[in-house]
Amino acid sequence: MDCQGFDLSTTEIHEWEVECIREAARTGNYLITPHAFQRMNERGIKADEIRLVLLNGNPVSKDLPGNPYYRKPGINLEGDLDDGRRIRVKVSWCRRYCVITAHEVAQ
């Protein structure tokens, strides 16, 4: 599968987009940005928990360029951790898949 980002012409999340994220997680071909590491440290989220969400999380939304919230384009995935927390992981494209932030989600 040739994974080169996302279809940013629609907010619909395609199966191939999710599979590309999961393949990047399986092979370790993704980057956690310095901003994401900072947020993870502030929120007590570990890198292996991020990988778990990339592999198994539910895709919940896609942010397109020029959105009214000034969010970076990408796909948001949510997953439950062993300690009962639910986290959201934002994956963007920057020459490869990049985790750009992560935070806890109210349940």
Side-chain angles (χ1 to χ4, degrees):
M1 175 175 282
D2 182 32
C3 295
Q4 294 292 318
F6 305 114
D7 175 2
L8 297 176
S9 69
T10 177
T11 58
E12 177 186 352
I13 300 170
H14 302 291
E15 286 183 38
W16 66 264
E17 293 171 310
V18 176
E19 182 51 37
C20 283
I21 292 169
R22 297 199 196 296
E23 179 64 20
R26 281 191 291 273
T27 61
N29 192 22
Y30 66 97
L31 170 75
I32 300 176
T33 65
H35 172 80
F37 270 120
Q38 178 185 350
R39 294 296 183 238
M40 290 163 56
N41 287 333
E42 291 169 359
R43 298 163 176 159
I45 299 170
K46 301 175 196 153
D48 62 328
E49 293 170 325
I50 295 293
R51 184 172 182 271
L52 195 69
V53 172
L54 297 179
L55 289 169
N56 303 306
N58 297 316
V60 294
S61 62
K62 183 195 289 184
D63 295 315
L64 300 180
N67 66 74
Y69 306 105
Y70 303 103
R71 295 179 182 142
K72 263 192 106 95
I75 293 177
N76 299 291
L77 298 115
E78 289 184 5
D80 296 323
L81 304 181
D82 290 339
D83 63 7
R85 292 181 298 156
R86 176 172 291 160
I87 63 168
R88 179 175 291 173
V89 177
K90 174 69 167 277
V91 180
S92 192
W93 177 259
C94 38
R95 291 187 215 97
R96 66 173 133 172
Y97 292 97
C98 301
V99 174
I100 59 169
T101 197
H103 59 88
E104 199 167 333
V105 178
Q107 295 187 37

